[in-house]
Amino acid sequence: MDKRIGAQFYTLREYTRTISDFEETCRKVRDIGYQIVQISGTPLRAAEMKKVLDAYGLEVVTTHRSFDDFQDNLEEIMDYNRTLGCELCGIGSMPGWARESGENLGRFLKEAGQIAARLRKEGLYFGYHNHAFEFAKVDGTYIMDRLLQETDPDNFRFIADTYWIQVGGMDPASFLEKLGGRAMAVHFKDLKVNTDNTTEMAEVGEGNLNWDNIARVCEKTGVKWALVEQDTCRRDPFLSMKMSYTYLVGKGFV
């Protein structure tokens, strides 16, 4: 596994709306120490971002786009990722209609499988990002079981999210081991329990997830990249990203 811990720019999405804000975000991220990133949640064009990313020595390893984009603009997505210099084309989630019935889920799996095969033929990879709902049942079968069983392991890969795996009732390390080599990237996101019985996303190391086990399994199964993500931050998002980075450096990442 690449030991350069990455920054998922979705955490910083409010600071990537304009190219000037994007440049300032890249500067701050690089100053923290991050060297690799995921591009997500920004409306900017790939070519203009690439110039800034190169200037700050930041390497893009994956992106996130909607399934509608994959269906309607696949050529543009391939160009977008090639311009950014990354091979893993991520989908943020399956659309809502896909989880309404087993039949709809089957339709999604067929369409996503075709897209994944096309991307692989073009030298790219399709990456599915999970939330918690994949661990629910639709028509008596777990959605995740069908994602694993009805897709081609060579084409259909995963961007696994530790927080959502835990919310879904699974142990992140055990589930990552089950995914094996299909998880090309992992979002490192912690889950904190509060005294009022609520839970929240937290900086890595501030919550309850077992990061030693997670990192060990990522290394064992051949995960390529680990990226810090925190959808919501109680602190300034840049401070949250720094806290997570500092904790993970203490665990052997750089």
Side-chain angles (χ1 to χ4, degrees):
M1 180 172 61
D2 193 330
K3 300 302 281 190
R4 298 174 299 164
I5 189 67
Q8 210 309 35
F9 269 26
Y10 185 74
T11 309
L12 308 168
R13 58 196 178 279
E14 298 303 325
Y15 306 93
T16 62
R17 298 298 182 186
T18 67
I19 195 63
S20 60
D21 284 348
F22 184 82
E23 182 168 4
E24 179 67 5
T25 291
C26 287
R27 182 188 68 79
K28 289 181 177 180
V29 164
R30 193 65 183 89
D31 284 349
I32 291 170
Y34 289 102
Q35 301 175 63
I36 63 174
V37 301
Q38 174 176 345
I39 297 298
S40 177
T42 177
L44 299 174
R45 298 189 304 274
E48 60 182 342
M49 289 190 289
K50 179 64 173 171
K51 292 178 182 178
V52 175
L53 291 158
D54 286 349
Y56 287 93
L58 294 171
E59 177 187 348
V60 180
V61 296
T62 185
T63 59
H64 265 183
R65 299 282 289 272
S66 71
F67 189 62
D68 286 346
D69 262 352
F70 275 92
Q71 287 182 305
D72 301 334
N73 305 299
L74 188 58
E75 292 290 341
E76 186 271 327
I77 284 178
M78 290 192 289
D79 289 343
Y80 181 89
N81 281 267
R82 287 176 178 137
T83 299
L84 290 171
C86 65
E87 62 181 357
L88 182 56
C89 308
I91 172 177
S93 178
M94 69 173 67
W97 59 259
R99 37 190 145 134
E100 291 176 353
S101 68
E103 181 180 359
N104 283 10
L105 179 57
R107 174 188 151 198
F108 167 78
L109 292 171
K110 179 180 179 180
E111 294 175 0
Q114 292 169 344
I115 290 169
R118 171 74 189 286
L119 288 171
R120 193 69 203 100
K121 186 177 180 181
E122 298 289 337
L124 301 168
Y125 287 95
F126 179 88
Y128 183 87
H129 172 260
N130 70 278
H131 290 81
F133 69 79
E134 290 87 355
F135 300 97
K137 289 183 178 181
V138 171
D139 291 350
T141 304
Y142 289 109
I143 295 173
M144 182 57 74
D145 285 348
R146 293 192 62 182
L147 279 168
L148 292 171
Q149 295 166 7
E150 298 179 34
T151 57
D152 187 330
D154 293 330
N155 302 335
F156 195 105
R157 302 299 181 94
F158 286 84
I159 301 171
D161 189 300
T162 57
Y163 172 91
W164 289 118
I165 293 170
Q166 184 69 60
V167 172
M170 307 294 289
D171 171 65
S174 297
F175 184 72
L176 287 169
E177 192 151 22
K178 180 178 179 178
L179 284 179
R182 295 187 72 172
M184 287 185 69
V186 176
H187 284 168
F188 278 18
K189 183 189 304 180
D190 216 336
L191 184 150
K192 180 182 178 183
V193 178
N194 299 314
T195 55
D196 62 357
N197 283 328
T198 61
T199 60
E200 63 180 288
M201 296 176 186
E203 294 79 10
V204 179
E206 292 294 304
N208 290 12
L209 299 192
N210 188 325
W211 292 104
D212 290 329
N213 280 350
I214 291 169
R216 176 185 56 79
V217 172
C218 286
E219 192 74 46
K220 174 184 175 182
T221 58
V223 169
K224 288 193 172 187
W225 308 288
L227 302 115
V228 171
E229 181 182 40
Q230 193 174 340
D231 303 18
T232 57
C233 305
R234 288 198 174 190
R235 300 175 174 89
D236 177 277
F238 292 98
L239 177 56
S240 292
M241 293 297 282
K242 183 175 182 179
M243 290 172 63
S244 293
Y245 179 83
T246 300
Y247 176 84
L248 289 166
V249 167
K251 293 293 185 182
F253 289 89
V254 296

